[in-house]
Amino acid sequence: MSFINPLSDEGKQIVREDGGDLDRIFDENDDIIDAVNSITAQEISDDAYIPKSYVDLVIKRVEWYVDKKSDPKYNHKKYAFLFYPEIAKFDVIAFYILCQAIGIKYGPNSRESRAVSELQGQIIENRLEELYERDRLEIVDKIMNILIVQDRIKWTSLADLLSSKKINLQDLVLKDGNVILDREDFMEYFKDVVKLQQPERMYNVFIGNRIKELIMIKMIMQNTENYIKNVHEIAGREVEPNATLLKIAEEVADALSKEIRYYGGGDSGGEVKASPLNIEKFPPCIRKSLDGIKSGGRNEVIVLFLTPFLSYARLYPSVFSRNTTLKVSDVDADLKITQNEILPMIYDAADRCSPPLFDDQPQEKININAKLGFGMNDNLNLQHEGETTWYTPMSCEKVKLNMPNLCRPDKTCKGITNPLSYYNRKMREK
Amino acid sequence: MEFFKQATPEERKIYYREEWDVNQVPNFILGQLENREFGFDHFGRGPNDRYKTFNSPEYLKRFMRSKTPFAAYCSVAFYEKPRKREGWMHAELVFDVDAKDIPIRTCNCDNVCEICLNEAKEIVGNIIDTLKSDLGLKNIHLSYSGRGYHIRVLDESVMEMDSDVRSQVLKYVVGADVPNDKYENRGQIYTLRPYSIPFGYPKVFTDRIKYSILHLTKDSKIEGISKNLLNKTLENRKFIEENQWGDFLNKLDPNHPKTGARNYNKLINSIASLNMSLVDGKVSIDLKRILRLPSSLHSKVSMRCTEVKNIDTFDPFKDAVPKFVWERKD
């Protein structure tokens, strides 16, 4: 149970019994090494693949998250140990060390804190995949029963899951604002209205396992964030933060920044990588937008069309092929590229509109920030990142529907479904 | 006496100086007046006087009395600096049901009439019901807009939500997407049509589809539905009235187990997309929209935009007609 939910009572018990001595977490630990070596799926050809201490395990967790997300040569076998319960006890302690380090040094609203919560969510997802179907159902049910008893789930608490489209509101069974997942709740509310089918069968069929899993993961991620917040608040009352944890936090931040290097200049396996924009390779619709819009629909073209295109083309052109969601700061950590290159291009295009867009609608600047993922705020501020989603570029079909005047296809457009794919194709041609 | 006639500048003056009272502006607006942006249309050409703010009801009162605007609006968004539209805090979740734009109306009027206003009211009732019972939302206000209704949700739990989530809420409450009918459980796939699931979104969807089918007329023009299919639907809709969906399907596609339920699927898909236009979607996803100010005059139709306290007893022809209209000589 604690291998999936380290914040469970079982997990807390492990920490109480085995996780007490912070001075020894850098030391080589034979139990960890033996446990990893005993996992047959683990690649042990290189000594560096084996974590030697608790801190090593913390860093390996972060490296896995970064590599999986951004390294085209990601090798799962290198990290197989993370998904086998042989390391459960050590993993739980590593989880707490990681959260405490980040809580003390960076606090709950930091990029690092978000990364740790996402990392935990992804580890759980991958661990569940390793289980047999029956075990998987059983464990999810067990954990959910405890989590739901502790806290009823309101659909409104799942706003970011809904926004990310991992769950659709229509897939949830809702009653009075609560998401119905528990068998007893289901029976209480719907037993009498289900007439054509057996209510029990209806529950099994309709309350899908995937939904339960996603919500369970989301709740554990939320609890992880709460824990980091808690640590941060407690640490704030102390005179001097723990030096060991501060050191670990810096190592974690270093490991996370590797992700930026992958996108900023690393080899991306033949795919187009983040690089300066090449206007000559832009599709006709984007070039037309850059000249400014002389008729109606200025807002739509500048805010909804140009902003996502330019930001993705510059920072994360392979978004569709990689199928991984990133935030702007994952690629542009200090937002310099966004501030100095992307926004000026968007603002120039807005100025070329007739009448210039911001002259009569200055609030559209806020909308542009929102489409980059920084909420409805005046400035790009890392603290606000994630309040909205970084919009992906609109498909050709949507362009044709919403802005038919922009679509003047050339021969490269044939077979292309998104202007960004056009750009990628042209960039590869060189 | 003629309803829906444009108000003259003199009538606007009479309205704002003799009939209108700032206390008719609902508390959910007056309570946080200083965080809202106001907009005005002085000449009947759209609201181009925007970025106005009022620090107290008294200022608003003076402004309305002296300017007697053609139309008055206030933002659904709350700002730290509404005059600059800076510091967006959150925004009401809004559903705009305009009787004039309802895609299926049983009347054939050009503008709005008693029949379509009643149909708009029915749609609004259904939406509010779902917002409360399924989504558990509170602090829901309703106002008559002059030609339809605005549902304004000020439940804190949704006010910070982004456009994507708002759009999902919109689709949920109007029944704009056909629910999945394939469900997987322990490796087995089950096919369940929405009408056989009496809870959750499939239930909302079934109710909305039922409403729309029961409001079709022989003149309805719906993309994807041929005249032939429309007639067949109208002939057999008595089954839907009695919730006999299986019989309705059998009539539409007599051979459906073998050839698939082509007509049924076509009908359901087309009506689902049409349901989307029961509500003006742009209003719901816009986080900084301005909406007509309840209590103000909708000068185009000479009706009062007014807060509706009780939807069951509200009658726009009684409760939203300004005195000057009753006193008109023509």
Side-chain angles (χ1 to χ4, degrees):
Chain A
M1 185 102 82
S2 58
F3 196 47
I4 301 295
N5 182 15
L7 292 157
S8 62
D9 288 345
E10 189 186 280
K12 286 175 191 159
Q13 183 70 21
I14 290 174
V15 177
R16 267 196 296 273
E17 285 171 6
D18 300 299
D21 195 355
L22 270 180
D23 294 335
R24 300 189 56 191
I25 55 178
F26 281 96
D27 295 353
E28 194 163 299
N29 185 320
D30 288 341
D31 294 340
I32 296 179
I33 298 169
D34 288 348
V36 175
N37 280 330
S38 73
I39 296 164
T40 48
Q42 175 64 34
E43 186 169 329
I44 45 174
S45 59
D46 188 332
D47 205 31
Y49 294 166
I50 316 293
K52 313 285 185 315
S53 64
Y54 278 115
V55 175
D56 243 10
L57 187 52
V58 169
I59 302 301
K60 286 275 179 235
R61 281 171 134 256
V62 179
E63 282 176 359
W64 166 77
Y65 166 75
V66 171
D67 281 4
K68 186 162 193 289
K69 208 157 125 177
S70 26
D71 185 359
K73 293 172 189 153
Y74 166 73
N75 173 12
H76 188 70
K77 284 184 178 170
K78 196 172 140 186
Y79 298 103
F81 66 87
L82 282 173
F83 309 102
Y84 287 85
E86 283 83 343
I87 61 139
K89 196 176 84 176
F90 312 108
D91 179 74
V92 169
I93 294 168
F95 167 83
Y96 279 90
I97 295 171
L98 177 58
C99 290
Q100 289 188 13
I102 294 303
I104 288 174
K105 170 90 179 170
Y106 299 106
N109 299 319
S110 60
R111 178 174 167 266
E112 287 76 12
S113 164
R114 271 202 324 265
V116 167
S117 141
E118 270 178 36
L119 176 165
Q120 192 56 26
Q122 288 181 21
I123 278 198
I124 299 171
E125 222 172 316
N126 282 264
R127 284 179 183 167
L128 289 172
E129 279 167 16
E130 294 291 337
L131 294 173
Y132 287 116
E133 185 72 10
R134 235 182 72 189
D135 296 341
R136 184 169 170 166
L137 293 173
E138 202 177 310
I139 194 120
V140 171
D141 267 346
K142 263 191 192 166
I143 293 177
M144 278 309 269
N145 281 339
I146 296 168
L147 290 173
I148 294 171
V149 168
Q150 287 168 350
D151 192 11
R152 273 213 158 154
I153 307 163
K154 292 268 176 205
W155 72 271
T156 45
S157 69
L158 305 174
D160 52 347
L161 258 188
L162 293 166
S163 194
S164 70
K165 310 251 165 55
K166 279 189 180 164
I167 288 184
N168 195 319
L169 188 62
Q170 296 159 5
D171 298 332
L172 303 173
V173 178
L174 301 171
K175 179 75 185 167
D176 300 332
N178 294 314
V179 182
I180 304 300
L181 293 168
D182 180 58
R183 189 179 300 268
E184 279 176 27
D185 282 348
F186 181 86
M187 291 302 160
E188 184 189 327
Y189 289 126
F190 306 123
K191 199 175 125 210
D192 295 335
V193 295
V194 175
K195 291 193 177 97
L196 299 171
Q197 315 271 348
Q198 290 288 328
E200 188 73 21
R201 184 169 160 257
M202 208 67 161
Y203 170 80
N204 288 333
V205 170
F206 207 86
I207 310 288
N209 298 323
R210 183 173 152 68
I211 298 275
K212 267 194 197 172
E213 271 183 27
L214 281 171
I215 292 177
M216 181 197 76
I217 293 170
K218 167 70 194 158
M219 288 179 86
I220 297 173
M221 285 168 70
Q222 187 59 56
N223 291 345
T224 304
E225 281 171 34
N226 294 346
Y227 180 68
I228 291 174
K229 192 175 168 201
N230 212 4
V231 168
H232 183 69
E233 282 167 6
I234 293 170
R237 287 180 231 134
E238 287 168 6
V239 184
E240 208 172 315
N242 184 297
T244 309
L245 291 173
L246 287 178
K247 193 176 166 215
I248 296 169
E250 278 162 20
E251 285 188 29
V252 169
D254 272 354
L256 282 170
S257 66
K258 193 177 161 203
E259 191 181 349
I260 299 161
R261 291 200 291 275
Y262 277 131
Y263 281 100
D267 176 15
S268 50
E271 288 188 16
V272 179
K273 57 184 188 260
S275 55
L277 291 169
N278 186 341
I279 297 176
E280 281 169 18
K281 312 283 182 185
F282 283 179
C285 50
I286 293 290
R287 271 184 278 156
K288 208 161 180 239
S289 314
L290 285 173
D291 290 341
I293 298 303
K294 310 293 173 216
S295 52
R298 288 172 307 161
N299 318 36
E300 216 164 16
V301 171
I302 302 296
V303 180
L304 289 174
F305 184 52
L306 204 53
T307 300
F309 178 86
L310 291 176
S311 53
Y312 274 95
R314 174 66 182 90
L315 299 173
Y316 186 21
S318 51
V319 53
F320 296 123
S321 55
R322 284 183 189 271
N323 203 17
T324 306
T325 316
L326 287 183
K327 296 191 173 76
V328 167
S329 72
D330 289 334
V331 197
D332 180 16
D334 52 10
L335 306 181
K336 276 192 184 145
I337 301 173
T338 313
Q339 304 268 24
N340 301 336
E341 296 180 36
I342 299 167
L343 284 180
M345 274 183 94
I346 299 169
Y347 287 4
D348 282 351
D351 275 347
R352 285 189 205 105
C353 289
S354 171
L357 178 62
F358 301 138
D359 281 5
D360 57 333
Q361 301 192 22
Q363 78 284 356
E364 290 301 342
K365 286 188 179 172
I366 296 175
N367 257 342
I368 288 170
N369 294 345
K371 300 298 173 266
L372 292 168
F374 293 85
M376 297 293 289
N377 294 294
D378 303 334
N379 299 307
L380 297 189
N381 186 330
L382 284 173
Q383 282 213 337
H384 293 300
E385 196 177 22
E387 285 176 17
T388 44
T389 315
W390 183 13
Y391 262 48
T392 45
M394 200 180 274
S395 67
C396 295
E397 196 193 326
K398 270 198 178 162
V399 175
K400 278 179 206 155
L401 270 173
N402 294 314
M403 305 165 239
N405 292 338
L406 280 187
C407 185
R408 296 285 178 269
D410 64 13
K411 62 177 194 276
T412 311
C413 290
K414 204 175 173 192
I416 288 282
T417 55
N418 191 294
L420 189 63
S421 316
Y422 178 112
Y423 180 62
N424 285 336
R425 184 185 282 185
K426 283 284 219 185
M427 287 294 275
R428 277 196 296 270
E429 281 171 9
K430 286 213 166 153
Chain B
M1 184 206 38
E2 195 189 337
F3 280 114
F4 304 123
K5 204 177 106 181
Q6 183 158 318
T8 64
E10 286 69 33
E11 288 176 326
R12 276 156 42 196
K13 262 183 208 162
I14 293 170
Y15 176 76
Y16 281 111
R17 291 179 185 168
E18 294 175 15
E19 191 174 341
W20 180 81
D21 180 344
V22 73
N23 293 319
Q24 292 162 352
V25 178
N27 282 336
F28 71 85
I29 292 174
L30 286 185
Q32 243 180 303
L33 198 65
E34 66 280 10
N35 295 114
R36 305 238 197 197
E37 178 216 350
F38 281 73
F40 298 94
D41 171 3
H42 298 292
F43 309 105
R45 290 197 291 265
N48 55 4
D49 178 15
R50 294 189 64 170
Y51 298 91
K52 285 269 183 289
T53 51
F54 299 100
N55 287 330
S56 76
E58 189 55 33
Y59 286 128
L60 175 63
K61 184 173 146 184
R62 272 192 234 157
F63 183 92
M64 299 293 262
R65 295 240 156 121
S66 66
K67 298 282 185 184
T68 63
F70 186 86
Y73 304 81
C74 91
S75 65
V76 298
F78 294 77
Y79 303 93
E80 276 154 20
K81 294 179 194 162
R83 186 176 286 279
K84 292 182 172 170
R85 249 194 264 172
E86 277 179 9
W88 185 91
M89 296 154 75
H90 50 220
E92 298 172 22
L93 167 65
V94 178
F95 302 94
D96 177 12
V97 181
D98 196 327
K100 183 172 62 71
D101 300 324
I102 300 174
I104 308 174
R105 310 197 298 175
T106 54
C107 62
N108 285 317
C109 77
D110 295 328
N111 194 358
V112 284
C113 67
E114 205 167 344
I115 298 170
C116 52
L117 277 172
N118 267 331
E119 286 168 359
K121 198 162 117 175
E122 224 178 312
I123 292 166
V124 162
N126 292 338
I127 292 175
I128 293 180
D129 194 38
T130 306
L131 289 171
K132 287 182 178 170
S133 61
D134 281 32
L135 300 171
L137 297 178
K138 296 185 177 70
N139 209 353
I140 300 174
H141 299 265
L142 178 65
S143 57
Y144 175 69
S145 65
R147 276 199 304 213
Y149 293 87
H150 293 153
I151 302 168
R152 310 176 66 148
V153 186
L154 282 99
D155 191 313
E156 278 178 20
S157 64
V158 291
M159 286 178 74
E160 283 187 18
M161 285 180 177
D162 65 21
S163 299
D164 281 336
V165 183
R166 285 169 196 246
S167 134
Q168 289 193 43
V169 174
L170 171 69
K171 288 181 182 175
Y172 189 104
V173 298
V174 299
D177 287 328
V178 180
N180 290 329
D181 61 359
K182 301 262 186 295
Y183 297 90
E184 193 249 321
N185 181 45
R186 292 172 195 258
Q188 212 173 333
I189 305 285
Y190 296 86
T191 304
L192 290 172
R193 291 195 192 278
Y195 58 75
S196 63
I197 306 168
F199 52 82
Y201 178 67
K203 163 88 168 72
V204 174
F205 178 78
T206 306
D207 290 348
R208 301 295 183 267
I209 291 286
K210 179 176 173 178
Y211 173 90
S212 295
I213 293 179
L214 294 180
H215 283 77
L216 289 174
T217 67
K218 61 178 176 35
D219 300 319
S220 301
K221 285 190 178 63
I222 303 157
E223 214 182 310
I225 298 182
S226 63
K227 196 80 196 154
N228 200 11
L229 178 55
L230 177 68
N231 288 338
K232 223 171 174 181
T233 305
L234 294 176
E235 270 166 35
N236 295 296
R237 70 176 164 188
K238 59 179 181 292
F239 293 108
I240 287 185
E241 236 170 313
E242 291 154 15
N243 290 325
Q244 305 294 328
W245 284 85
D247 292 338
F248 177 70
L249 191 156
N250 288 338
K251 290 286 178 190
L252 242 53
D253 292 288
N255 302 314
H256 73 87
K258 280 183 194 162
T259 57
R262 267 189 225 138
N263 282 335
Y264 170 84
N265 290 336
K266 220 185 261 179
L267 179 74
I268 296 294
N269 281 309
S270 296
I271 301 229
S273 353
L274 179 133
N275 280 353
M276 190 63 198
S277 36
L278 293 175
V279 170
D280 184 345
K282 276 194 204 116
V283 178
S284 298
I285 59 167
D286 194 337
L287 302 176
K288 50 183 184 20
R289 193 93 177 173
I290 50 170
L291 280 188
R292 272 183 198 280
L293 177 70
S295 78
S296 68
L297 185 68
H298 189 317
S299 297
K300 253 186 203 156
V301 287
S302 293
M303 278 200 136
R304 193 193 307 125
C305 171
T306 180
E307 188 178 19
V308 177
K309 294 279 187 194
N310 183 341
I311 187 173
D312 297 325
T313 56
F314 179 77
D315 176 357
F317 293 95
K318 225 170 61 199
D319 303 318
V321 180
K323 272 187 222 148
F324 72 78
V325 173
W326 297 112
E327 287 160 5
R328 274 176 184 161
K329 300 263 181 323
D330 48 355

